[in-house]
Structure formats: structure tokens, C-alpha cells
Amino acid sequence: MIAMLFLGFSAGLPFLLVFSTLNARLADVGVETATIGFFSWLGITYSIKVFWAPVVDRLKLPLLDRLFGKRRSWILLAQAGIATGLYLMARVDPLVAPETLALFGLLVAFSSATQDVAIDAYRIEIAQERLQAALAATYIFGYRLALLVAGAGALYIAEFWSWQVSYQVMAALVGVGTVTVLVVREPAVNHFAAAQDIAHRVEEEAAMRGHLPPGLARLAGWFYAAVAGPFLDFFRRYRELALVILLLVAVYRISDIAMGVMANPFYLNFMGFSKTQVADVTKVFGFFMTIVGSMVGGVLVVRYGVRRILLAGAIMTAATNLLFVVLAQQPPDIAALAVVVSADNLSGGIANVALIAWLSSMTSASFTATQYALFSSLMTLPGKFLGGFSGIVVANFGYAEFFLIAGLMGVPAILLVLFMMRHGARLDALAPVKEQEDALVK
């Protein structure tokens, strides 16, 4: 758990430095708004990491793998890319060379997404399923702390010194994660059992039917196992339930993500709260409520089981959106805002921990990185896509109606969790927990 606290910090640190903090830097030095908008494309890397996750799952890094093991070696390589990219970003003048800054930003974003893939796999493999909620809670705590450092901390340093110093300090803080990786142990999990079986069968077929030389046949087997293996394993394991699982993953956070797009415009433009009031309530107070929700969620999952808390999180997320409907119909009241934001962040923390623990329990030890990357990518893409239309809904109907629609968007997730609970015994029998426990006992 202590390791996941610091690894969560390492994962969260680069995120804002290629998003809102970078946008603040560009705006502060006078970069055109249109150019700033193009920099948002850096975030696409986090949503498509599933495409190179198979490489993280299957490829052994020369020398590093022998010294540190598969997961730790990939995390260290990613951290080297993050630190290098941040240092280079510090040295570039955005007005003189915005393209160069974007290129270095891409290095940070790509390395950060790769680190996420490797850390998620490490977290799942380091402990048994019953501990995943606790690990997720501490991971989220570390991640949120990093967001504070990379958000408010980076702005303070830039205000008192310069943006160059700010990004150099952030590059140095990558060392927190590096030291952690050097101290912790590598998970004792056999990553290759199922993958090697698939690769061997494909190699034999390629040699017999394709008349390929042995070297090319082995390459074909390795590639097929790396790319297709994780998906074949998942669909063969869960069969017709696989599509329902993926559908639940896709819709579970739609309500939360879609609502979040219009949250700040609602606070500032519609309700008329000041920037300071919004920052105090939503950023500082909201941060602590999210942490409380994460910790409570971790305890509840251990006590009552992951699917019950998954249901509770889905219901609470939809219900808190309805509180915003009430808030939109009342005169501005900072106390009421604090109550609603508290409920929203508390429920979000509980739901997020339950979802992470549930997804972690369904990944195979042979394809941990790729399968979880598939889940995490699918978890945010639909919400982000629908969130793009949120401004149109607000413009045509109003905020109260928008929050009502956002709340109703949480109903499919509730129904799908209920369906999963009805098939709980079968899901438990199909889940790949036993193979990971055997490997951990080894």
C-alpha cells in the first residue's frame, strides 16, 4: 500500500503538466488561443494506450528486464521518458518553438500513458483480489496529491520564479517514483503461461500452412499472442458475458464524466461564484472529500464485496447529479454548493475504487497490462465523447435539464450492475483470481 501511494504520485504528476498546467503556461506567455487548443490533442495518448499495451505485456526490455523484472523495468523506462520530456519542455520557449514544445509534450504524454499501463499491471499482480480495493484507494490518494503538486504547486513556482524552474522541479519530482520502483519487489507472477500456449499453436500453424521459415513462424506466434491473445483470453473466459462486461465498463462513468464538463461554467457563469470560492470548494475541499470517498470505498469493498459497492457507487453517482438539478434552481449559496460538491466527490471516490477493484479482479495474469488498458480506455472514451455535446444541451435546455439528463445517463450502469450481481456466482467461477493467487503463493 505504501508503494502504491508513491506510484500513484508518479502516475498523477505528468498528467496536468501536459493539460491544464501547460495551457496556463501557454496562455501566460501569450500563445494564441487556437494554438493552445491544438495542444489538447496530447491527451489522446491516454485514451489509445491499449494499442501499445501488448508490447508492455510481452516484450522483455534488454538488460533492464534481467535487472528489475518486467513490470519495474517498463515503469523505469517510462519514468526516464517523463523526466526527459519535462526537462526539455522547461528549456523551450513556447512563443519561439511551439512545435518543439508539442513534440516534447508528446514524449511526456506517451511515456506517462505507458507508465500507467505498467503501474496498473504491477498493482493487480502484487496482491490478491481481496486487497485490490485498498491498493486502489492508496493509489488514488497518491494520484490526487500529485495533481495538487502539478497543478497549484507548478503555478506557485511559476509565479514566484519562472515556468522553466517550475517544469525543472516537476522533472526532478519524477525521482519519487523512480526511488519507489528501485525499492519495491517485482511481482511473482507467470506472465507467459497462456501467451506461450497461444504463440506455440500459431507458430505450428504458420509453419505448416503458411510454409514460413522457423524464425518468421516464431515471430508470427509472438505477435499474435501479444496482440490477439489478451482479447481471445477475455472472450473465451467470459463468453457471452464479455460484451455485457465491456458495456458496463463503457457506461459506468458516463454520468460522472459528462456532468463534469459543464461543472465549472455552471459554478462561475450561471451561479455567479467567484474563482476563489470555486477553487476553495471544488479543488481544496473537494480533494479531501474524494480521498475520504476512496478510503471509505476501499473499506466497504473489503467488508461487503466489490459488486455491492459497485452498485452503490452507480446509484450514488446518478443521485448526486440530481442534487445539481436542485442547486441550479436555487439562489447562489456557498454552503449548498459545499454540500452538493461533497456528496459528488464522496460518491465519485467510492464508485472509482469499486470499479478499479472489480476490473482488476477480471484481468488474467498472462495479459494484465493489455486487458486492464482495454478497460481503462473504454472507461473514459464514451463519457468524453458525449461530454462534447454537453454545451449544446445546456444552450438549448438549461443547466437543470442538463443535470437531469446526466443523472438519467447513470441508469444503464445501475441496471447492468444488477445483471452482473444475478450472475455473480458464474463470474466468480470464471474470474482469473486463482491463477494469480497460485503465482503469488509461489
Side-chain angles (χ1 to χ4, degrees), residues 101-139:
L101 182 66
L103 184 63
F104 293 150
L106 181 61
L107 172 61
V108 174
F110 177 80
S111 300
S112 176
T114 303
Q115 180 186 226
D116 289 350
V117 172
I119 290 179
D120 284 334
Y122 178 87
R123 172 181 52 78
I124 294 168
E125 294 170 356
I126 201 65
Q128 299 175 15
E129 187 269 339
R130 62 187 177 84
L131 300 176
Q132 287 300 320
L135 295 182
T138 53
Y139 175 85

Side-chain angles (χ1 to χ4, degrees), residues 44 56 202:
I44 295 175
V56 179
V202 173

Side-chain angles (χ1 to χ4, degrees), residues 84-167:
T84 301
L86 290 175
Y87 179 79
L88 293 174
M89 289 177 72
R91 308 286 296 180
V92 175
D93 186 341
L95 289 173
V96 176
E99 298 88 354
T100 304
L101 182 66
L103 184 63
F104 293 150
L106 181 61
L107 172 61
V108 174
F110 177 80
S111 300
S112 176
T114 303
Q115 180 186 226
D116 289 350
V117 172
I119 290 179
D120 284 334
Y122 178 87
R123 172 181 52 78
I124 294 168
E125 294 170 356
I126 201 65
Q128 299 175 15
E129 187 269 339
R130 62 187 177 84
L131 300 176
Q132 287 300 320
L135 295 182
T138 53
Y139 175 85
I140 292 172
F141 184 34
Y143 197 99
R144 292 284 178 172
L145 284 176
L147 293 184
L148 279 181
V149 172
L155 291 175
Y156 283 132
I157 296 173
E159 179 68 23
F160 289 106
W161 284 279
S162 67
W163 282 110
Q164 180 178 354
V165 172
S166 178
Y167 268 73

Side-chain angles (χ1 to χ4, degrees), residues 5 43 54 59 84 119 134 150 152 187 212 232 238 256 266 291 297 328 392 400 411 432:
L5 174 66
L59 183 64
T84 301
I119 290 179
L212 294 178
L232 288 174
Y238 293 104
D256 181 35
F266 170 69
I291 298 304
I392 298 175
V411 173

Side-chain angles (χ1 to χ4, degrees), residues 378-418:
L378 191 60
M379 186 167 50
T380 56
L381 273 176
K384 289 181 179 178
F385 175 75
L386 292 177
F389 300 101
S390 58
I392 298 175
V393 176
V394 170
N396 290 330
F397 299 99
Y399 277 103
E401 291 77 7
F402 166 73
F403 291 130
L404 177 61
I405 293 172
L408 293 176
M409 289 169 65
V411 173
I414 297 172
L415 297 177
L416 286 170
V417 175
L418 289 171

Side-chain angles (χ1 to χ4, degrees), residues 7-27:
L7 289 178
F9 181 89
S10 182
L13 186 69
F15 186 75
L16 292 184
L17 298 175
V18 291
F19 283 107
S20 60
T21 299
L22 178 58
N23 291 344
R25 176 185 178 184
L26 297 174

